[in-house]
Amino acid sequence: MCQQNFGKIVNDLLIKSFQDIVNLDFTAEIEKEFDNIAEGKEEWKKAIREFYKTFAVELEKAQKELETVELVEEVSDVKCEKCRQNDGV
């Protein structure tokens, strides 16, 4: 399997498993929070503690679900532009 295709599969699994974290709104909010921490307006330990409460639940759920994921590679006749091998789908 071409590394580029494998990366897309992993990305899709991350997005599916961590929808609340792998998105632009979360990134924007966490950047604001980091700015507040840097400016001394918020305590970093509190921010991490709050983040981890939700993340721990999502992580445990994802670990259970991803234990059963089976990657089945089907080879197509289309060559990858980067590695010139037949693409796995």
Side-chain angles (χ1 to χ4, degrees):
M1 176 182 300
C2 179
Q3 288 183 357
Q4 187 175 13
N5 288 339
F6 185 71
K8 289 177 184 177
I9 291 169
V10 170
N11 186 63
D12 290 345
L13 288 171
L14 287 171
I15 289 171
K16 179 184 174 199
S17 298
F18 302 102
Q19 294 175 2
D20 293 338
I21 297 171
V22 184
N23 68 56
L24 294 176
D25 292 334
F26 174 81
T27 302
E29 283 302 313
I30 201 75
E31 284 181 7
K32 287 178 190 175
E33 199 164 341
F34 289 158
D35 288 343
N36 288 337
I37 291 167
E39 295 169 6
K41 297 177 182 175
E42 189 172 342
E43 185 184 326
W44 72 269
K45 289 181 183 179
K46 179 184 174 207
I48 295 298
R49 194 171 19 257
E50 288 176 12
F51 164 78
Y52 196 75
K53 276 191 282 188
T54 305
F55 179 68
V57 173
E58 290 182 12
L59 181 60
E60 186 175 331
K61 182 181 171 193
Q63 286 173 326
K64 289 177 183 174
E65 290 176 2
L66 294 178
E67 284 178 2
T68 61
V69 171
E70 183 178 329
L71 297 178
V72 178
E73 183 177 3
E74 297 175 18
V75 179
S76 75
D77 59 350
V78 177
K79 299 252 186 218
C80 172
E81 293 178 13
K82 295 187 184 235
C83 69
R84 303 305 303 155
Q85 296 179 4
N86 287 22
D87 260 348
V89 183

